[in-house]
Amino acid sequence: MFKFGNSPRGNVKGNRPVKDDTRTPLYLMFCGDLSGSMAEETRVIDEKGNAVYIPKIDQLNQGFRMTQKSLLRFMKENTRFLLKYQFIELNTYCKPLFQTFELINDPNYNLGEVTFTPGGSTNIEALFKTIISFLTHKHLGNYNRAVNIILLSDGVPTDVDGWALSEEAWKALVDEFKNYLDEHDLSRSVELYFIAVGNEAEAFGRYFAGEDHFFRVEDSESIADKLDFVTRQSLTNSTTVSSHQDDEDEDEEDEEALDGEDDTLDDEEEMRQKLRNQLANALEDDEEEEEGDEEFEDDEDEFEDEESDDEFEEDEPDSEPVSSDDDSSDEDDADPIAVTSDDDTVGITEDDTTDTADDDWDDGEGAGGADDDGEGEDDGDGDDGDDDGDAIEDILNF
């Protein structure tokens, strides 16, 4: 149980954050054992080196005040975090100190004189239920928040009536609590710490928080000093994890950016390859088309040659025309000349006529021609000779 001092309850709350606050929320949940056993005294070495006996509950109250100062100092030195905290009693009913997480947003924040008083049992079942009620969207706003739970106890867990639980029983309760964290994806953001005051709470504390986050108040050591130390240690761990998480997020963003560039390069390379393939296909089509054109042109030329030969054969005359006077004598040698007489039509050539004239001349010279004196001998009468000469002259003139 706790009670406030002279400070009114309304003055212990800090300023509420503005809606556009971009700081990273960081939550602390203190669970202090307020059972009856906390009224017992333990020996503590004070600042002067003297051994004094102080009730454990007084040491807890002092430690909570020291913790508030450490939270204020942390807020000033780490402005990127938005610090909130809660205190839950570990007793029979396990009530919270605030209705929701208390925001430390003012450098002059002062909780006032808070005094916890011992009484009741160490009902961890009720404690876990109260803790879970604050690990919700209503109080955190987002499940992915850093929450440090610091549990301090001096004894063995009990039921609501104060009867000690067996190891199997309290382990089952711890397992049920951790399963809830796993099922609601809270294990990554919730860190569990335990401070054992004495030997009786050691087994429970180690099973709850693990070896790394288990702390023990040694003989002659102050609970206040240990509580403040663990609080500061948890804040340091949270900022380190947060920085690493930010680095990991940046690395992931860089990797995503590189993957995006690689994808872009792959897309560009794929596009270039497609263009190359299209160009190669186009060139192949052009070559095939050119080959087809050449074959068509060859066929067309052959067809034109055949048509030209046909036209030439159709236009070629049966007899060769006389092209010039020089060729007339040669062609006259071959062309027959028709001579018509009363009895028959005889085909002769110009050579034949010449030969005939020569023969007649020879005949006239040898048989009927003139001699040196100009006289000759005829085979017939003179009229026949004149007629033959006229005929030969007509043939020659023709």
Side-chain angles (χ1 to χ4, degrees):
M1 181 181 294
F2 58 85
K3 62 180 179 179
F4 291 94
N6 296 329
S7 299
R9 179 68 181 85
N11 292 340
V12 301
K13 290 187 177 181
N15 298 330
R16 297 296 175 186
V18 292
K19 293 182 179 180
D20 59 348
D21 200 327
T22 58
R23 289 177 292 178
T24 303
L26 179 58
Y27 297 84
L28 274 81
M29 187 179 295
F30 299 98
C31 303
D33 191 342
L34 303 184
S35 63
S37 60
M38 289 294 290
E40 300 174 357
E41 294 180 352
T42 60
R43 190 182 68 166
V44 179
I45 304 299
D46 62 12
E47 296 177 356
K48 296 180 180 180
N50 300 322
V52 296
Y53 289 87
I54 304 174
K56 291 184 282 187
I57 192 66
D58 292 343
Q59 297 180 49
L60 177 61
N61 289 329
Q62 181 185 3
F64 191 60
R65 287 190 292 269
M66 293 172 60
T67 298
Q68 291 181 25
K69 294 179 181 180
S70 296
L71 296 180
L72 290 173
R73 184 166 56 251
F74 174 82
M75 188 197 69
K76 294 177 182 179
E77 296 174 355
N78 298 272
T79 57
R80 58 189 290 257
F81 291 96
L82 188 66
L83 194 58
K84 299 181 180 183
Y85 77 102
Q86 177 65 281
F87 188 95
I88 300 176
E89 304 173 347
L90 176 52
N91 54 17
T92 303
Y93 303 105
C94 301
K95 294 180 180 179
L97 179 60
F98 309 109
Q99 293 181 353
T100 187
F101 285 93
E102 183 73 4
L103 172 65
I104 301 178
N105 197 35
D106 187 353
N108 298 320
Y109 176 86
N110 184 12
L111 180 61
E113 292 294 331
V114 178
T115 303
F116 299 107
T117 59
S121 62
T122 313
N123 186 5
I124 63 169
E125 183 177 5
L127 176 67
F128 290 154
K129 290 181 180 180
T130 304
I131 292 174
I132 289 174
S133 68
F134 284 93
L135 300 179
T136 60
H137 179 77
K138 175 183 177 181
H139 297 283
L140 299 180
N142 191 323
Y143 278 129
N144 190 20
R145 303 296 190 187
V147 182
N148 294 336
I149 299 176
I150 302 174
L151 175 56
L152 182 147
S153 180
D154 69 339
V156 178
T158 66
D159 60 12
V160 64
D161 297 325
W163 295 97
L165 297 175
S166 65
E167 182 176 337
E168 182 180 358
W170 59 254
K171 281 186 176 180
L173 292 174
V174 173
D175 292 340
E176 183 179 355
F177 172 71
K178 291 184 177 181
N179 288 336
Y180 176 87
L181 299 180
D182 292 336
E183 292 172 359
H184 292 79
D185 197 23
L186 292 168
S187 299
R188 296 182 304 170
S189 56
V190 175
E191 295 290 338
L192 304 177
Y193 295 83
F194 193 92
I195 301 174
V197 182
N199 296 329
E200 293 183 359
E202 184 172 346
F204 171 60
R206 292 183 185 277
Y207 191 78
F208 173 78
E211 294 294 333
D212 293 339
H213 290 173
F214 172 81
F215 301 89
R216 174 178 171 152
V217 180
E218 303 295 341
D219 294 339
S220 302
E221 188 177 10
S222 169
I223 295 174
D225 292 339
K226 184 64 70 174
L227 178 60
D228 184 52
F229 170 78
V230 174
T231 300
R232 289 184 283 107
Q233 185 67 37
S234 69
L235 294 174
T236 301
N237 293 341
S238 297
T239 55
T240 303
V241 170
S242 178
S243 299
H244 289 167
Q245 184 64 39
D246 293 340
D247 294 339
E248 291 177 0
D249 293 341
E250 291 179 0
D251 293 339
E252 289 179 359
E253 292 177 358
D254 294 339
E255 289 178 0
E256 291 177 358
L258 291 175
D259 292 339
E261 293 178 359
D262 293 339
D263 293 338
T264 302
L265 293 176
D266 293 339
D267 294 340
E268 292 179 355
E269 180 62 25
E270 184 178 356
M271 181 61 68
R272 285 194 290 268
Q273 185 61 39
K274 288 182 178 179
L275 293 176
R276 286 194 289 265
N277 293 338
Q278 293 177 357
L279 180 59
N281 293 333
L283 291 176
E284 291 179 359
D285 294 339
D286 291 342
E287 291 177 356
E288 292 178 357
E289 185 176 354
E290 290 178 358
E291 291 177 357
D293 292 341
E294 291 177 356
E295 293 177 358
F296 178 77
E297 290 177 358
D298 293 339
D299 294 340
E300 189 176 18
D301 293 340
E302 183 178 354
F303 179 74
E304 291 178 355
D305 292 340
E306 292 178 355
E307 286 186 346
S308 177
D309 293 339
D310 293 339
E311 292 177 358
F312 179 77
E313 291 176 357
E314 291 177 358
D315 295 340
E316 186 176 6
D318 294 336
S319 61
E320 295 182 358
V322 178
S323 59
S324 63
D325 295 338
D326 296 336
D327 297 335
S328 60
S329 59
D330 297 334
E331 293 178 356
D332 289 343
D333 294 339
D335 292 339
I337 301 175
V339 179
T340 303
S341 65
D342 293 339
D343 296 333
D344 298 318
T345 300
V346 180
I348 61 173
T349 63
E350 185 174 352
D351 293 336
D352 293 335
T353 57
T354 305
D355 294 338
T356 304
D358 292 338
D359 293 338
D360 292 339
W361 177 260
D362 292 335
D363 293 337
E365 185 179 11
D371 52 9
D372 295 337
D373 295 334
E375 294 181 356
E377 183 178 357
D378 295 333
D379 292 335
D381 53 13
D383 295 335
D384 293 336
D386 294 336
D387 293 337
D388 292 335
D390 292 338
I392 291 172
E393 184 177 358
D394 291 337
I395 290 173
L396 292 175
N397 290 333
F398 178 79

